[in-house]
Amino acid sequence: MDLNRRITRNWILPKLMATKQLYSLTALFSTPDEIIHAAGETAAAGYAKFDVHTPYPVHGLDRAMRLKPSRVGIFALIFGFLGTVSAVGLMTWVALVDYPLVIGGKPFWSWPAFVPIAFEVTVLLASVLSVVAMIVIYFKFPNNSHPLHETPYMKAVSSDRYGLSIQADDVKFDERKVRDFLQEVGGKEIAPVYFDPEVGARLFDPKFLGILLATALVVSAGTYLTLNKALYTVPFDWMMEQRKLKAQKASDLFKNGIGMRTPVEGTVARGFLPYPYRGKPEDAARNLVNPLLPTADVIQRGKVRYLTFCSPCHGNFARGDSRLRGQFPNPPTLHTDKVRNWPDGAIYHVISEGQNVMPSYAAQIARDDRWAIVHYLRVLQRAQNAQESDLK
Amino acid sequence: MSPPVPPGQSWKRQLPVSVARIGWILLVSGIILCAGAYLADPRRSAFNNIVLYLFLASVAGGSIFLVALEYVAGAVWSVPLRRVNEFLSALAPVVPLLAIPVLFNLHDVFHWTQPGAVAADQLLIEKQPYLNIPFFVVRFLIVSLLWGLFAMLFTRNSVKQDVSRDQNLTRRNTRLGAIFMPLFAVSVTVLAIDWAMSIEPHWYSTIFGVYFFSGTVLAGVATATLIVVLLHEGGYLPPLRPDHLYSLGALLFAFVNFWAYIAFSQFLLIWYANLPEETFWFMKRWSHGWQYVSVLLIVTQFAVPYFALLAQDAKMNPKRLKLMAIWILAAHFLDVYWLVMPSFDGGVPVSWIEFSYPVLGVGLVIVVLASRMNKYNLVPVGDPKLERGLSFHL
């Protein structure tokens, strides 16, 4: 009743009359059985452009309306599959190609750990992209309004009524006949709905933009506060704030106020052996033997390490002609008879201990890498002093 | 629309004598076979006995749970079908009798009952306050009495309503349901820990109770679905809408997924942490032929029903539902077998003994159902929600 009165009132206003067009005739029903019956009758009567609105999904409507099977399922399936493939693909690429890490002694491609993530991404993409597709396809984005919006009809069908709307652009549409038809199938509160064809997408409607902005603000503020503040308050920081000393933190437990302790005398780090020839180059030259065989791999490794650590001073070919020449006391060429006749141990000793201005490289270059460099240096020396017999 | 069940009318439908007779034949031959099994190989028989006990306990417990759930949730759609669950919950007082032979053979199954084994094992000494025979029996009695009591109370109030049409009985059952829910959560966990987990007393999994619960409800829903569809096809029930079948199918589908979710959660955490005291349980199920059973379990209790029930139409198709309900019940039996039997001798035991117990189980369900149907209305004719339940729309 109220609805009719309101529309009549609008109808009377001549200014509105000029721009408004009939969109559809709507009717309200009280039970799901009635709406299913009415939808079936409407389809049987030959109307094609009609729609049904219910407060919740009523099963059986699709069939009564003679709709083709919904494409939502196919879309969701494709998007979900996309999610599965991209999640598994990303994890596979990271775990096998980009950053292989041994975790808990498990194989790199540990598929059980992928299952929860693949599942979540599947659900995420299936749902989010389906909604996006719906907005684009059904709502014809950027259109974000509909003639039925903000009508008493829409308010009724989103609370406790079931609505049927037959559109005016249907070929069979005739206002009188449709009104009678709706009455015949038991519709109540039959009312026309008008729309203004000149009002297009209301994307820049201040109300719409305002709500969008407010949502963005609330969500980002919430995210910011959660990630930057809430997670650092009690009790969420219990794992971070433990009663233990961290490296390089002060502590009043010890006399000198330093939390970090010096290892006791004679401590040997794992994987390292103390170097017994400290300050004894002759002993090193006499006793040390290169433990590596000069295989292609070893020489390649030596080349890489040599170019990284040695070449800045000694030059790419050990001629002592690097770009740093002139800025320091000049590094010597390594192709002198003296160095060529040194045993491997003597070269190794110089790399480990340093000599003259050259510092020790023991901290930067691992033991085996130092020996590999020695092999590579031998290759360079041989290349500089090639003999006729090398060509054979 | 006139109500399909006029008020005050009774709706007593009896199973054909032939069906009841088949039930009795199966039950009696099952008892004879199982007694023979105990004579032939008491240890193996005790293991199988536990499988059957856990299986039928889950059917009974799942049925009581569904009745309680209907009342607590105020569900309408399931009212016309509730009697099936109530009849099945009558298994609750009977099924514990099946476990009694095991109580006399505890040493064969539970090595925490052997004083020698406990004395040599620090972990078992620590667990002794819980894992000891008297307390085990007490817990068994409490869980059995609790389930039996609630099954009886729900059914008693419900059938009283058939005559009195007193709405307060619905309210009373709702209150009972609310009391039963937390008790059920604890008791089903105790049942699972005592009868399945403690077979490997060194092993523990905190999600095990939920795992067993998921199978329990699945078994309850599957049994109810099977019987409802059979009765529906035989014309025993007032006309049901596809919506009712759809809801049963949806519940089946939901709990198939729930089971898979919980089962995978249990596996994932143990696999990830990789602690030897936890992984050995799965290692046992991944060697000596059990790996095939494990894969079969995933396929039968998850993969096949998942795809078979995924489509909307499949959930309304009585034939599909019937097939899937039987399939899922078989899968749940395999699930319990998978929980219990790897501790028997390491291998996958298959012999006539393994097939004797299901005979007894099927017979027992038919006999109990037939006796209930003889006694009570098949539809809760006095329930105030019956009419709405029959015209239920999704």
Side-chain angles (χ1 to χ4, degrees), chain A residues 204-221:
Chain A
F204 299 104
D205 182 50
K207 196 165 139 197
F208 177 73
L209 283 182
I211 291 173
L212 208 62
L213 192 70
T215 311
L217 275 177
V218 168
V219 169
S220 40

Side-chain angles (χ1 to χ4, degrees), chain A residues 32-33 36 56-59 63 103-104 106 110-113 115-116 119-120, chain B residues 1 241 243 246 261 264 267-268 270-274 312-313 316 391 393-394:
Chain A
D33 275 324
I36 289 179
Y56 59 88
V58 173
H59 288 238
R63 212 160 298 173
I103 299 168
K106 293 187 165 60
S110 285
W111 66 268
V115 170
F119 172 74
E120 299 295 346
Chain B
M1 197 197 291
R241 304 176 63 107
D243 309 56
Y246 179 85
Y261 189 93
F264 184 74
F267 167 75
L268 184 71
I270 288 172
W271 170 84
Y272 209 98
N274 211 6
Q312 197 181 22
D313 292 338
M316 297 186 194
S391 58
H393 255 296
L394 274 170

Side-chain angles (χ1 to χ4, degrees), chain B residues 39-365:
Chain B
L39 290 176
D41 189 342
R43 182 161 180 268
R44 183 171 201 149
S45 192
F47 268 91
N48 279 292
N49 199 337
I50 292 182
V51 173
L52 181 70
Y53 167 60
L54 283 176
F55 178 78
L56 287 182
S58 58
V59 173
S63 302
I64 313 174
F65 175 78
L66 288 174
V67 173
L69 186 66
E70 183 196 300
Y71 279 113
V72 172
V76 171
W77 70 273
S78 58
V79 170
L81 324 171
R82 193 183 65 226
R83 271 298 143 77
V84 172
N85 284 326
E86 284 172 5
F87 291 172
L88 285 170
S89 72
L91 281 167
V94 185
V95 168
L97 299 177
L98 289 176
I100 288 172
V102 184
L103 292 178
F104 292 101
N105 292 278
L106 283 178
H107 293 313
D108 285 340
V109 184
F110 301 103
H111 82 252
W112 53 262
T113 59
Q114 296 159 1
V118 176
D121 195 328
Q122 186 59 35
L123 211 65
L124 292 189
I125 294 173
E126 302 278 343
K127 290 190 177 185
Q128 215 168 18
Y130 186 85
L131 290 181
N132 60 71
I133 297 176
F135 192 28
F136 179 87
V137 175
V138 168
R139 288 193 305 264
F140 166 67
L141 290 177
I142 291 177
V143 170
S144 307
L145 287 175
L146 187 80
W147 288 16
L149 179 75
F150 273 91
M152 200 193 73
L153 288 177
F154 281 127
T155 313
R156 201 182 62 179
N157 286 336
S158 176
V159 295
K160 230 193 254 173
Q161 205 175 34
D162 283 1
V163 186
S164 73
R165 312 180 64 81
D166 180 5
Q167 298 202 6
N168 277 327
L169 289 165
T170 300
R171 199 166 303 146
R172 202 174 298 166
N173 264 358
T174 308
R175 216 167 289 153
L176 275 178
I179 297 168
F180 178 69
M181 284 288 173
L183 293 176
F184 181 70
V186 176
S187 55
V188 80
T189 309
V190 165
L191 183 84
I193 290 175
D194 284 5
W195 290 90
M197 199 161 109
S198 86
I199 296 175
E200 292 287 353
H202 280 215
W203 187 72
Y204 61 93
S205 160
T206 44
I207 205 174
F208 195 76
V210 185
Y211 178 83
F212 190 73
F213 165 78
S214 66
T216 295
V217 181
L218 188 58
V221 177
T223 321
T225 306
L226 175 64
I227 293 170
V228 165
V229 174
L230 287 174
L231 293 176
H232 171 66
E233 286 181 342
Y236 289 80
L237 289 168
L240 296 179
R241 304 176 63 107
D243 309 56
H244 291 104
L245 297 182
Y246 179 85
S247 300
L248 284 171
L251 263 185
L252 262 187
F253 184 69
F255 275 94
V256 161
N257 283 295
F258 183 61
W259 174 83
Y261 189 93
I262 298 298
F264 184 74
S265 302
Q266 172 168 293
F267 167 75
L268 184 71
L269 289 202
I270 288 172
W271 170 84
Y272 209 98
N274 211 6
L275 300 173
E277 66 261 37
E278 293 176 348
T279 48
F280 82 92
W281 194 83
F282 276 106
M283 294 308 285
K284 258 191 174 172
R285 283 154 184 78
W286 204 253
S287 54
H288 301 104
W290 277 102
Q291 61 271 45
Y292 307 111
V293 182
S294 300
V295 171
L296 188 69
L297 181 64
I298 298 169
V299 171
T300 50
Q301 190 149 289
F302 173 64
V304 170
Y306 178 85
F307 287 106
L309 291 172
L310 184 60
Q312 197 181 22
D313 292 338
K315 298 190 188 82
M316 297 186 194
N317 179 346
K319 269 202 192 107
R320 178 72 63 87
L321 277 183
K322 198 166 54 177
L323 178 69
M324 274 301 115
I326 297 171
W327 179 280
I328 288 170
L329 282 173
H332 180 61
F333 194 86
L334 185 71
D335 184 13
V336 182
Y337 176 83
W338 179 83
L339 286 178
V340 171
M341 291 309 267
S343 306
F344 172 62
D345 64 356
V348 185
V350 178
S351 73
W352 64 276
I353 297 179
E354 277 68 41
F355 292 99
S356 305
Y357 280 88
V359 174
L360 199 166
V362 174
L364 184 67
V365 173

